[in-house]
Amino acid sequence: MILQFKDYQIVLDPQPDIKEIYLELASLCNLNCRQYYRNSWSYSGGFIEKKTWEKVLEEAKTLPLLNRIVLGGIGEPLLHPEIKEIIAKIKKMGLKISITTNGFLLSKEMAQDFVTLGVDEIIVSVDGFLPETFAENRGADIGNLWSNLKQLNLIKQQNKSSHPEILAEMVVNKRNSQEIFKLIPRLLEYNIKVLYVSQLMPVVREKIEDIFYQKYPDEKLLEWRTLTARASMYSGVKVLLPEMRLNTHRSCRFVEGKKVVVRFDGEVSPCYRFLHDSREYVFGREKEIRAVSFGNVNKESLAGIWTKEAFVKFRFLEHMNHYPSCPDCEWVDGCDMVWNIEEDCWGNKPSCADCLWARGLIFCP
């Protein structure tokens, strides 16, 4: 495969080298989080069909570098009625399995299934320490989450199992930023030793004022990051912190990690950001996101989609950082190309020029 790059021709050698598959079991959720992408959708979504997930898992057997499947997406995977069967098939393949969940559907029966089937890890969302803060973000009682995690740990002890390992993720904003110092030691009570911290990406205008990061952060913001890092070291909880400002370095974890996302309807996307039609506010500027798909697993093979010329070129240009930087461009306020992801001024289609994930501000575990 030859890529014409300015005055050069670059030879690319596509390989079925997918290392991780993110499988969206459901685009529905049992909670109504005010800050989540689903609030900007114009449709309700659904569940992945059996024929689709079976085809993905069957084709996964042909991927030589595949080592992990993540059951997640922009929805709650524990809602899927066939999740137990899906987990069993993945573990039979000898792959590591990770589940991202809000934890509210983690019943005693399901917790026992997770332990028995050998789920490697679950990542639960904890967007606040105070009950009122959590309720504001998630619309639910945090006490129910703690109870479910306590029950899971008890079942692990009864089965003399160290798995699934429990990890946590937190979306930090102005309202909950100081609560992280109380949350970190609380996590240890539930045997949680890893905390992923991401920044808020507003999807509704009212949340713009809640973002905690700045283009050029003040000393108070940088001090918070330092104090959080110290709290991590003193407690023994590994806290993976986001950036607090725009940095020159850009890197896509999905591209660099050779990850791919399969939507509930079989569409294959390069990342979570491009998984659904949505809306976001980049430093207060509204941006329309259109779902990006390079094929559908119900019609093509996953390896065939991954090695398709358009997808290979997209990943290569992302890897090379061959796209402009919209957030700190001097022309951003008068540019017509920043309102959506269709194309940028360098000719990339779609464009990652406004992606705050690549800047390390937003983080997907």
Side-chain angles (χ1 to χ4, degrees):
M1 183 182 299
I2 297 177
L3 172 63
Q4 187 68 41
F5 190 74
K6 296 186 177 181
D7 295 331
Y8 304 91
Q9 286 188 333
I10 299 174
V11 179
L12 303 177
D13 183 23
Q15 299 291 330
D17 54 357
I18 298 172
K19 293 183 178 180
E20 295 185 22
I21 297 174
Y22 283 66
L23 190 59
E24 185 181 59
L25 300 191
S27 59
L28 305 172
C29 190
N30 55 310
L31 301 182
N32 185 26
C33 306
R34 295 176 60 198
Q35 62 192 34
Y36 217 31
Y37 269 96
R38 297 182 70 255
N39 288 323
S40 65
W41 291 0
S42 58
Y43 57 95
S44 58
F47 295 112
I48 192 170
E49 295 183 2
K50 188 170 185 175
K51 66 175 183 179
T52 302
W53 65 257
E54 282 187 331
K55 188 171 187 291
V56 172
L57 297 188
E58 188 62 31
E59 292 183 4
K61 298 176 182 178
T62 68
L63 302 174
L65 300 184
L66 184 67
N67 59 66
R68 185 171 84 135
I69 292 183
V70 179
L71 302 182
I74 314 300
E76 176 50 58
L78 272 58
L79 280 171
H80 200 287
E82 297 165 337
I83 186 171
K84 181 178 177 179
E85 183 180 357
I86 294 171
I87 293 171
K89 286 186 177 294
I90 294 173
K91 292 307 297 181
K92 190 175 181 180
M93 295 164 60
L95 297 173
K96 183 177 181 181
I97 183 169
S98 178
I99 301 175
T100 57
T101 173
N102 57 52
F104 279 81
L105 297 177
L106 190 58
S107 63
K108 183 178 181 180
E109 179 183 0
M110 186 167 288
Q112 182 63 62
D113 287 339
F114 282 5
V115 174
T116 303
L117 292 170
V119 172
D120 294 277
E121 66 181 23
I122 66 167
I123 305 172
V124 296
S125 300
V126 188
D127 293 334
F129 174 81
L130 297 176
E132 55 268 30
T133 305
F134 188 89
E136 180 183 358
N137 288 324
R138 291 281 170 175
D141 182 358
I142 193 174
N144 293 330
L145 173 61
W146 295 136
S147 296
N148 288 347
L149 295 181
K150 182 178 180 180
Q151 182 174 250
L152 174 58
N153 276 308
L154 179 60
I155 292 173
K156 287 168 59 178
Q157 291 174 2
Q158 292 171 344
N159 288 266
K160 298 181 179 180
S161 174
S162 59
H163 292 89
E165 181 182 1
I166 308 173
L167 296 79
E169 61 176 332
M170 176 186 185
V171 177
V172 68
N173 56 50
K174 286 182 179 178
R175 296 171 183 264
N176 68 5
S177 61
Q178 297 306 309
E179 295 180 26
I180 194 171
F181 302 112
K182 293 183 178 179
L183 177 62
I184 289 174
R186 182 66 184 274
L187 294 177
L188 289 173
E189 297 179 24
Y190 301 92
N191 199 30
I192 300 174
K193 298 179 181 178
V194 177
L195 173 64
Y196 295 102
V197 181
S198 181
Q199 299 273 12
L200 171 67
M201 170 52 76
V203 298
V204 291
R205 190 174 294 277
E206 65 187 62
K207 302 295 288 184
I208 293 175
E209 297 301 320
D210 287 346
I211 65 171
F212 191 51
Y213 48 93
Q214 302 168 3
K215 285 186 180 180
Y216 311 105
D218 54 30
E219 292 184 6
K220 186 176 181 180
L221 196 61
L222 297 178
E223 181 185 27
W224 175 90
R225 198 176 193 278
T226 299
L227 292 175
T228 304
R230 288 178 183 172
S232 170
M233 290 186 290
Y234 293 152
S235 67
V237 176
K238 183 179 180 180
V239 181
L240 289 85
L241 288 167
E243 298 294 340
M244 308 304 295
R245 59 185 169 189
L246 285 177
N247 290 318
T248 302
H249 178 71
R250 296 180 294 178
S251 177
C252 175
R253 293 183 66 250
F254 280 89
V255 169
E256 301 306 321
K258 298 187 182 299
K259 309 170 192 281
V260 69
V261 188
V262 180
R263 201 167 70 179
F264 77 96
D265 56 0
E267 297 295 334
V268 177
S269 179
C271 63
Y272 273 166
R273 183 179 183 236
F274 288 162
L275 193 58
H276 294 277
D277 292 349
S278 61
R279 177 182 59 250
E280 61 187 34
Y281 292 87
V282 184
F283 290 102
R285 173 171 38 82
E286 184 174 350
K287 192 176 194 75
E288 181 183 18
I289 308 296
R290 287 294 182 184
V292 175
S293 173
F294 287 96
N296 191 297
V297 293
N298 292 309
K299 302 175 182 178
E300 307 171 71
S301 71
L302 185 56
I305 296 171
W306 178 258
T307 55
K308 192 179 294 186
E309 182 175 352
F311 201 178
V312 173
K313 288 184 176 180
F314 171 85
R315 297 196 305 273
F316 175 77
L317 293 175
E318 173 68 32
H319 170 71
M320 295 297 293
N321 282 180
H322 185 71
Y323 56 95
S325 175
C326 293
D328 49 356
C329 175
E330 62 181 323
W331 306 109
V332 66
D333 292 331
C335 180
D336 290 335
M337 289 185 155
V338 299
W339 307 115
N340 56 57
I341 55 95
E342 302 301 322
E343 184 179 6
D344 60 40
C345 60
W346 288 16
N348 297 300
K349 300 178 182 180
S351 172
C352 298
D354 245 345
C355 182
L356 298 188
W357 280 260
R359 308 303 280 261
L361 290 166
I362 318 294
F363 188 85
C364 295

